[in-house]
Amino acid sequence: MEHRPTAPNTATVTDPRLLLNALDHQFRGFRTFWFDRISPAGPVVLPAARGAELESAATRLAELLRRAAWSLGEDCLARHRALGLDERLTGFYADEEFERAYATAIGRPDVILTESGWKFIEFNFCAATGGQVFTHLLNDLWRQLLPGRVAASLTLGDPMAARNELLRGVLDDYGLDPRVALIGYLPDVGIQDRRYYEIEIDVLRRGGIAAEYFDTDEFVDALATRRDEFPLVLERVVPQEWLDAGRDAEQLLAIRKCGATVLTPQSSYQAANKQLFAVLSTGQDWMTDQDRELVRQYVPWSRSIREEQVEFEGERRKLTDLLVQRREDFVLKRSDGDQNADVHLGFRTGAAEWEAIIAKAAAAGTWIAQEAVHSTGIAADVFDGDSGEFLSLSTGAVFGPLIVGGRMAGCPLRYDVPAPGNAAPGTAGSSILGTVGWQSA
């Protein structure tokens, strides 16, 4: 990562007091570690053609992942068990038609822009997909603070507006009154202030949808007297994370079985399962030549740890031997983990620990190995609150385009920032959250 003091570019907020005050106001109640010492000073700007390619690849890959999941079994439970998912979640599925229709309605892949182009390393699907609120607020901030002609030249998507359109479509499809219960659990997003969810409620109401926020326990309690008040529920909670935290499934199951239409369906987590990357990368009889070319271009080589022999770089090899001998070239991933749970980078892992992880993954039977990919330098302007300086970075980044209702609706990204200037030599930097503005030619 390179950085230097610089004159901010034309998509940068140049007044530090204006920038910091605006961030304080926009994120009041939950200005988190993302904007602690160093703050984004504007959107990362990339050509609109790059964004169009990313949107096209993401939407096509989402459909391929949905098809890959459905190829594993003729019903929800068959697919659930083929993927080795948690048996405690089998009661969460709705009817097959609803599961098929909306499994990939809301998603966000993790994508790396490499020297050879975009590479998708995973794809999350569910209503709780992270980044929606932050992207909405950051892009709203840039529209307010950037000079008018600069903001007008950038596409800064709004996932909340796109989600309103999606929800109105669901309400119309099922003939439901436009009333929505938004259900969340603040500890799962590391935030204590309900404003985080109330922002979403405000957008829903401004979009003509009557909406109310409930914590999970509040909604379950409300079912005694208000069961039929909200025909549509938007559940911003991940059931597997809920169980991994040691909580009982009954509260979430009561929400799923309350009689309302609950988005997104449990099959979202099937479509998001990382084993599907291995399914597509290996190739399937049902895939067309166009499907195979899409995967070849945008998906890193991926294989299930269950496989014994694989072909890599034109050579047939035992998978475990390949992973041990080429440790720095691979990543090991638990297939149903979120938020980087059980993601192990070979180039950051010692040899003995790496071999232990391989053994753990083989025993589980649900992990994948994926070829490591590396970010090209991304230009980003930030403000260092300690030094009072604007910095221009050339840094690695992970892009997360929000795919809502089949289109890209904003693109957050996480990128690296340097350690404080007074930090000890060798101190690692941290990451902040920004968004991308796609610039028209």
Side-chain angles (χ1 to χ4, degrees), residues 341-381:
D342 275 324
V343 174
H344 303 274
L345 309 177
F347 58 89
R348 292 183 180 172
T349 307
E353 182 184 358
W354 180 253
E355 292 188 32
I357 296 167
I358 293 172
K360 173 184 174 181
T366 55
W367 288 49
I368 70 164
Q370 188 174 82
E371 188 173 9
V373 295
H374 303 282
S375 175
T376 189
I378 304 298
D381 285 346

Side-chain angles (χ1 to χ4, degrees), residues 164-210:
N164 274 7
E165 292 180 22
L166 170 67
L167 295 181
R168 282 195 294 267
V170 176
L171 291 164
D172 289 344
D173 286 348
Y174 287 89
L176 304 175
D177 291 337
R179 299 192 309 276
V180 172
L182 178 75
I183 300 176
Y185 189 68
L186 286 165
D188 280 356
V189 290
I191 290 169
Q192 297 180 344
D193 196 306
R194 290 168 71 105
R195 181 174 175 267
Y196 178 83
Y197 290 117
E198 292 294 344
I199 288 165
E200 300 187 53
I201 295 299
D202 180 61
V203 174
L204 286 164
R205 290 173 178 169
R206 284 191 281 113
I209 300 172

